[in-house]
Each structure stands twice: as C-alpha cells, then as structure tokens.
Amino acid sequence: MTVPTSVAVLRQRCGSVKEYARDRIFSVTRSILFETSCDSLDDSASAPAVRFRLAGAADLGALGEKPHEYDVSAKKFGFDRLQGGDSFVVGECDGDVVFYAWLMHDQIDLDQNVLIPTAEHIAYSYRVFTVEKARGRRLCGAYYTWLKRLLQEEGCKRLICRIGAGNRGSIRAHTRAGFEPCGDLWKFVLARHCTYRADRRLREWLGNLCPAEYFSSSGLLLRHNS
Amino acid sequence: MNELVLETHGLRIAVRSNSAMLLEQLRNRTASVAAQSSGTPQLSYTIEERRGESGLSYAIRCGTGRMQRSTTPREALDAVLRRMQLHVAEEAPDHIFVHAGVVSWEGKAILLPGRTFSGKTSLVVALLRQGAAYYSDEYAVLDRCGKVHPYARPLQVRVAGGSRLWTAHMLGAEVGSGPLDVALVVFAKYHLTSCWQARPVSPGNALLRLLANTVCARKRPHEALACLRLVAVEAPAYVAMRGDSGDAVKPILDLLARDSKVGRKL
C-alpha cells in the first residue's frame, strides 16, 4: 500500500488549502489592465516556425493537462465561452499545439465570469499560454502581430488584456508586444464575497469605455454578471 | 465551399461558406440548440467572404436569393443565426415557438412572454442570478402536451451600443435539461418608473396573449391553439408592470409559490 506522504502530495494539498483560503476566506489581489492599438504592428516580432490559426471545439477537446495545463473544468469553461462567441486561437509547430489564447469581443473580463460590456470594436485577449518547451521564443509577440492583422481586417480598433501584477514574465512579453498599462484593478475576497475596485487612472479609462452604471464614482464595481 | 448541416426540432438547415472558420464559429454558437447532421437540408444559407480594397466583406444569401451584406464576420453570423432561428420557430413540425423567456424554479417552469425589446432577457438574467435554471431567453418551445423544452441559446444581453452574448454558466446558472409543465405565465411590461403591479388574467385572456406572441400563429393556428390551450388552462397567468428586473424577481417567485398548485379550467 502506498502512503501518500511524499513531498509532492503534501505540496499539492497545501496548494489546495491555500487556493481555498484565497478564493473563499480572505484575499487581496491586484491585476493590471493593458491596452494597445490594433494599428500598431510590430513586424520584427515574427516566429515563422509557428502557425497561428483560429481554432474550434475539436482543438480545445484535444488539449491535455500536459503540456497545455488544460483540465476538464477549464475545457468545460472553454466550450461555454465558444458558445458565447469568443474566439480560440492556437499556435502550431510541427503539428503540435505550442501556444493558445482566447479572444473576447466588445466586453472585458475583470475576473472569471465577471464581464463588463465595452464600446464596440474592442477586443479583449485572455488566457494566453505558451507550453513550457516553446517558451523564450517570443511567441506572444508573434501572436499579437498576427492577431492585430486579423482584427484590423474586422475593423477592430483596440486590444485589451488583464495580467496579474505578479506575473512579471507576461507583463514583460505584453509590454514588448506594444501594450501599455491603463491602471490597476483590485479584487477583495472576504467570506466568499468579492468586491472589485479600480484605481483612479483605470476608472477614468473605463469611464470612456464601459457603461457608467457598472462603476461608482469611487471606483467600486457595482454590477457584474455573476 | 465548405458546408455545415445543422438539425434542430425536426428541420435540417445547411450553411455554406468559403470560410471554414465562420462555419466553425457558427457550429460553436449553435451547439446548445442544434446538432450537426449529414442528411439532406430543407433550406440553405451561403456566407461568402470577399476580400476587397476596403477589407473583408460578407455576402449572405438564403437559397438563391440575395439577403444582405455585412462588414464583419460576427455581423454575418448574427444575421444568419437570426434568420435560422426564425425559420425554425415558424416551421418546426412538432413544436410551437412562443416569444418568451423561460426559467425553471424548483422544477416548475415560468413563462415570461413578450416581444423583442420587452425586457425578457433582463428578467431571465435576474431570475438566473437568484438560482433559477435557464431554459430560454427568446423562445418557449412547447410540445403537443403543452410542456416547455429547453432552448438554451446564449443569452443576448442588450447593453449601450449593441448586445453581448452570455451563457447561463457565465451567470453561475444551470441549464434546464428536460421538458417541464408550465407553472406560471407572467406577461410583464417594463416601464422605467413603474413599481411591481400584477393582476391575474383569465385563461381565455392568457390564451389570446400567448397567441399574439406565437411565431407560427398565422401559418398553423389550429396546432398553436391546441397547444396554448393546455398552457392557459393549467398555468395561472398574470399581467404585470415592472420597473427594474431585480425588483421583479421576488414578486414573481411569490406568485409561483402561491399559485402553482391551483389548476384552472377554460
């Protein structure tokens, strides 16, 4: 009989407890919203070995926990998003999916399933992921170059994304791809109740972008869809 | 041309396009209400993607006739989906489609009939937030026994400058799975300054109001009347004025709790 006392199992269980506490008991997290214009193309950031394409439910179903870090609940969420009209993009190298990303139209996502409608012709990029073996090849920049061309053809003007303040790698990659910060969004969790608050800079920026009814004058998110 | 044949409520519809991705997006958008089929379609649509000097454009045709032109793929998809839904609502052989939002509460179906822009979706969203299960935000699909079936297309929530698609799961709600008896019908009308006011209506009045919202009322009046009669007899009906959708949830659930056990006769 194997007794589950290995360090890996302990780490996993501690991780689950930490996640539970963060999501349901108390936590304060900060994320940053970034924006770029779809007209600003950076042709130097191309990676010819990777082919990007819009993907569908079959591609999503084929992703696995390794190396794509896509589990069953994430897939369920993904199928739901496809039904909701979001676009799913994969980057392939020698027939393998080494990169994937999601795109939402005319609304932004301040948390999972916390959607705020925006003005039209705005795209929101989320869940951008590169598999471990393909990291460091500037796929993120190449993806955004490809994506901006696509969005230009569709008449889209601005591209937005939200990145956790601690995710330095992603912030670096997005800044390199032409994104500029628009302000901070704070999420407060206390006893399973979530509150979102935008700083002054983000509040002004969102004021031009989202219906006013979604934010109070103090930056508190008043209404969302969950 | 790539082709996608979809089957829903006994009808097969083909959509052809030179853009495989458009068809893939169409398949995703219709996954909850239609299945992919290989049979002979009764109706076909064509979406042709054209690359011109001013960028991409989309020409949409129904059969051989020209229908409309769109500048974005989403606009083209929305146009085709709208036409398809209306066609199915008119022609579905075994079902009657009534313009109504539908949710289930503790296994009982609540019908919220109303025309486009009458606030069906916002009322459905408010009920889903309180824990109701989602059936439809556009059509109540009734069978010959008067039971309502799920038509769980993504909710089309109207916001300033257009509409956005939200699925029931995005609202934290479940999607209803089987047919249900209708337990309550509320003809709610939105007015900005209104408070909740409801009065019961007779089964005959309810029947006429339901008929006014029935898509195939002119094409198949006998079938529609037979089906709607069952609903009007069994379910208590109310006409209501409402303000904010959030304020209307509790009164609706109170009506359901009070009246769901009371049967009525024409």
Side-chain angles (χ1 to χ4, degrees):
Chain A
M1 197 178 84
T2 316
V3 182
T5 51
S6 69
V7 175
V9 171
L10 278 172
R11 266 190 193 150
Q12 194 184 350
R13 288 188 180 168
C14 287
S16 309
V17 171
K18 194 178 163 190
E19 208 170 283
Y20 182 89
R22 189 195 62 204
D23 293 344
R24 302 193 184 195
I25 300 172
F26 177 74
S27 64
V28 180
T29 44
R30 182 170 72 100
S31 53
I32 307 166
L33 268 87
F34 287 82
E35 181 192 30
T36 180
S37 162
C38 292
D39 298 329
S40 60
L41 281 176
D42 176 17
D43 284 330
S44 62
S46 59
V50 174
R51 191 178 72 92
F52 296 101
R53 66 175 172 86
L54 286 165
D59 300 290
L60 177 59
L63 297 185
E65 283 199 35
K66 280 188 179 174
H68 305 112
E69 296 182 16
Y70 231 105
D71 60 12
V72 178
S73 63
K75 276 186 192 174
K76 202 176 154 194
F77 180 72
F79 290 127
D80 203 53
R81 281 287 161 97
L82 282 174
Q83 273 189 43
D86 288 7
S87 304
F88 179 48
V89 178
V90 294
E92 288 172 323
C93 182
D94 302 326
D96 294 329
V97 173
V98 293
F99 176 93
Y100 61 80
W102 285 84
L103 193 71
M104 196 182 280
H105 304 277
D106 304 338
Q107 51 188 354
I108 55 177
D109 181 349
L110 298 187
D111 198 354
Q112 186 161 313
N113 281 342
V114 180
L115 303 175
I116 307 289
T118 63
E120 283 188 323
H121 307 304
I122 288 173
Y124 173 73
S125 168
Y126 67 99
R127 204 171 174 142
V128 178
F129 182 84
T130 308
V131 301
E132 209 165 343
K133 67 173 184 185
R135 283 180 194 164
R137 289 165 58 184
R138 308 249 165 128
L139 293 190
C140 191
Y143 162 66
Y144 282 118
T145 305
W146 175 86
L147 182 66
K148 282 178 185 176
R149 279 209 186 92
L150 188 81
L151 292 173
Q152 270 180 4
E153 283 185 339
E154 288 188 10
C156 200
K157 306 274 182 244
R158 295 153 86 177
L159 182 60
I160 295 168
C161 70
R162 180 176 57 82
I163 307 169
N167 192 350
R168 286 184 189 168
S170 183
I171 291 174
R172 207 166 37 239
H174 281 79
T175 310
R176 216 182 280 140
F179 282 85
E180 286 171 8
C182 306
D184 294 354
L185 180 81
W186 294 86
K187 177 188 175 185
F188 303 92
V189 177
L190 181 62
R192 299 186 73 173
H193 288 279
C194 290
T195 310
Y196 302 87
R197 195 184 184 95
D199 69 4
R200 182 177 290 177
R201 190 173 157 206
L202 185 62
R203 206 152 66 224
E204 283 170 9
W205 182 77
L206 285 171
N208 297 323
L209 209 71
C210 305
E213 68 208 65
Y214 282 85
F215 287 89
S216 74
S217 54
S218 61
L220 207 64
L221 180 62
L222 295 175
R223 213 180 76 177
H224 54 82
N225 68 324
S226 61
Chain B
M1 281 268 179
N2 306 289
E3 187 184 71
L4 171 70
V5 182
L6 296 168
E7 187 166 359
T8 176
H9 297 91
L11 294 170
R12 276 191 296 271
I13 301 169
V15 184
R16 300 185 184 99
S17 177
N18 54 350
S19 162
M21 207 49 242
L22 262 183
L23 292 183
E24 177 66 38
Q25 284 179 356
L26 184 77
R27 197 162 70 93
N28 292 333
R29 290 270 299 268
T30 54
S32 56
V33 290
Q36 209 171 341
S37 165
S38 52
T40 314
Q42 288 114 330
L43 182 74
S44 70
Y45 292 90
T46 309
I47 312 173
E48 194 185 337
E49 188 180 85
R50 292 171 180 171
R51 197 174 289 272
E53 280 178 12
S54 56
L56 288 175
S57 69
Y58 299 85
I60 305 160
R61 286 192 204 89
C62 175
T64 51
R66 186 169 185 145
M67 215 166 80
Q68 70 177 77
R69 223 178 152 81
S70 301
T71 48
T72 67
R74 272 176 300 139
E75 217 174 83
L77 276 183
D78 286 346
V80 169
L81 279 168
R82 250 192 327 269
R83 298 279 174 152
M84 275 171 64
Q85 283 172 4
L86 197 61
H87 175 76
V88 171
E90 270 183 348
E91 306 289 344
D94 297 319
H95 294 92
I96 300 298
F97 282 61
V98 180
H99 272 294
V102 187
V103 296
S104 88
W105 184 265
E106 293 171 353
K108 296 165 192 163
I110 305 171
L111 237 68
L112 307 160
R115 293 286 171 89
T116 311
F117 287 107
S118 65
K120 296 189 297 289
T121 303
S122 59
L123 206 47
V124 168
V125 168
L127 283 156
L128 296 184
R129 282 187 178 139
Q130 293 300 314
Y134 178 57
Y135 267 65
S136 178
D137 75 328
E138 181 66 8
Y139 293 121
V141 182
L142 299 165
D143 63 18
R144 287 172 198 273
C145 307
K147 286 182 186 290
V148 64
H149 291 250
Y151 188 77
R153 63 169 210 171
L155 290 108
Q156 212 142 18
V157 183
R158 287 203 173 82
V159 292
S163 63
R164 308 286 180 271
L165 293 172
W166 290 350
T167 63
H169 293 126
M170 288 182 190
L171 293 157
E174 290 301 312
V175 175
S177 53
L180 287 180
D181 287 319
V182 179
L184 180 69
V185 183
V186 182
F187 301 94
K189 202 170 177 182
Y190 170 75
H191 193 272
L192 183 67
T193 55
S194 267
C195 293
W196 174 262
Q197 282 178 309
R199 63 177 173 85
V201 289
S202 68
N205 191 322
L207 177 59
L208 288 174
R209 285 172 187 270
L210 283 170
L211 196 64
N213 288 298
T214 302
V215 184
C216 67
R218 288 175 190 225
K219 273 198 171 175
R220 296 182 283 146
H222 295 294
E223 276 177 61
L225 274 171
C227 170
L228 297 179
R229 184 181 180 280
L230 294 168
V231 177
V233 168
E234 293 299 328
Y238 290 84
V239 172
M241 286 295 288
R242 69 169 181 88
D244 184 64
S245 54
D247 299 337
V249 171
K250 192 176 176 299
I252 289 175
L253 295 179
D254 287 346
L255 288 178
L256 180 72
R258 197 176 71 192
D259 290 336
S260 58
K261 287 177 186 169
V262 184
R264 302 191 308 170
K265 294 280 172 279
L266 270 174

